[in-house]
Amino acid sequence: MAIPFLNNINLDDNQLLNAKLHVTSSAPTAGKGQIYLDSTASDNKLKYYDGTGWVVADATVSASFSTANGVITFTTSSGETYTVDIDGRFIKDFIVAGDSGDNQTISDGNTLTIAGGTELASVGSDTDTITINHSDVTRTNTTATALTPDFGANFDVITGVTSNARGHITEVTTTNITIPENDSVDVTAITTDAAYYPTFVSAAGDVALNIDGSAADKLSYNPNSQTLTVKNLVVDGTQTILDETVQVVENSTILFEGTTADDFETKLTVIDPTADRTISLPNESGTVVLNAFKTVSGDTNSAVADSATDTLTIAGGNAITTEATANSDTITINHDDTSSQASVDNSGNAVIQDVTLDTYGHVTGLVSKTIEVPTDREFVVALDASDSNVAKATNTYTVTHSLNSRDVMVEVYHTSNYDTIFVDITRATVNTITVAFAASVTDGDYRVLIKKIG
């Protein structure tokens, strides 16, 4: 939204920086001396209004160039002619050179041909473009196949590549190779009692170590199910289960590592029993509560429940009362009534001025006060000569506000679109201002807002 200025702007010999003219495709309402930039594609000219019509402000009306002598001729809007001689400064002939060979002069009217060399070809198109293409090179393709080699298998591999002088591959040599057979290890041992033949074999998914040929005595591991099979297992020392999360570390002790592998663990053990004992875990989820002494700390001192028969009491202090609810495991802590001060709901210009508190920070007293707001600090009126506070002389209105001060803020706005407008404002006396327009305006089209400061 444009900001309307309804009076002249005097920059007092200062510069107008980074300004831009009115750019539009249609001529604005004309006034003598008005300027704008015509933005139509066929125009794009700066124009001014001379009182009768719009005039192009460009200095040049027409221009011509002679290729015979290199002279440019300009004709201005006033009919004057100017010439510029650029003979010798435009291209008639030019020279082209390659990486090798003789330089070539291309004279006016001659055609420069860009030809393809070895393995290159050039193509001209109707878009002023010469395209250089790489020619096809004779070669022999080799297609690879997916392999899953095993002991004793054979397959082809690339052992040689042939290229020409420009680095293009023209031939690939392949050779067939065979993987040696070596898929088992047999170990034979003789003792004084019998002959044993430990053999690593693979059967039914297991990797097994057979000691005497009996399937019931074999030690096997199935990598698919990650299962280790053994007839009997004897552990002499520490036993670790499930990635060291649980360990049997000594007689009657089980050690738990927890989810974090560090230097801290929990041991589960028993005191040496003097009779048969049974400890039952409940059939429910939850946390086991230990029968240990409990200490509760307060802001000062601590309370200790130091036996199974002790009762921990939560007592109320200053302005606090506690209440136990039967059969609900609940202790309710209540704040006692401590204030005799009723609520205050002020209205109008009344506000709370004083607040009285007791030693616990409770409100015990409120005092209200009415604030007096002055009413003679603002003035608003329409710029209309029919109003008793407004006088008009030509394009200047004199407004009597009677605020008895020149320290006033003044703003003028349009009564139709409510835009703030800029006019010449003078604080003529302590009780009047003048609002001057550069041209005649209609009474009632504008209103003035005046506010006293201080």
Side-chain angles (χ1 to χ4, degrees), residues 183-205:
D183 59 352
S184 65
V185 178
D186 294 335
V187 179
T188 301
I190 305 298
T191 67
T192 56
D193 298 326
Y196 296 93
Y197 303 95
T199 304
F200 292 99
V201 299
S202 177

Side-chain angles (χ1 to χ4, degrees), residues 240-386:
T240 301
I241 304 173
L242 294 179
D243 196 23
E244 298 187 2
T245 59
V246 180
Q247 301 180 38
V248 179
V249 297
E250 56 190 33
N251 292 337
S252 304
T253 301
I254 299 177
L255 184 143
F256 294 88
E257 171 61 47
T259 57
T260 303
D262 51 22
D263 294 336
F264 305 105
E265 293 80 31
T266 298
K267 291 183 179 180
L268 178 63
T269 185
V270 298
I271 299 174
D272 191 19
T274 58
D276 292 339
R277 310 295 185 187
T278 300
I279 299 175
S280 300
L281 296 176
N283 182 25
E284 60 184 41
S285 298
T287 302
V288 176
V289 179
L290 302 178
N291 184 18
F293 299 150
K294 298 297 181 183
T295 300
V296 178
S297 298
D299 293 333
T300 59
N301 302 325
S302 299
V304 180
D306 55 3
S307 72
T309 59
D310 279 358
T311 299
L312 181 63
T313 301
I314 300 177
N318 294 328
I320 299 295
T321 302
T322 63
E323 179 183 358
T325 303
N327 302 322
S328 65
D329 300 332
T330 302
I331 298 294
T332 302
I333 301 176
N334 298 311
H335 193 301
D336 294 342
D337 293 336
T338 59
S339 177
S340 59
Q341 172 63 45
S343 299
V344 173
D345 185 7
N346 290 324
S347 61
N349 295 329
V351 297
I352 295 176
Q353 183 181 39
D354 298 322
V355 178
T356 304
L357 307 176
D358 63 12
T359 56
Y360 307 114
H362 305 127
V363 178
T364 59
L366 296 173
V367 177
S368 298
K369 183 176 179 60
T370 301
I371 299 176
E372 296 182 3
V373 179
T375 59
D376 58 346
R377 308 184 71 83
E378 297 176 350
F379 186 82
V380 58
V381 70
L383 294 178
D384 190 335
S386 63

Side-chain angles (χ1 to χ4, degrees), residues 215-236:
D217 294 334
K218 74 177 181 179
L219 171 67
S220 65
Y221 174 73
N222 190 317
N224 294 327
S225 62
Q226 296 185 345
T227 301
L228 177 66
T229 303
V230 63
K231 184 175 182 180
N232 296 306
L233 179 64
V234 177
V235 178
D236 185 9

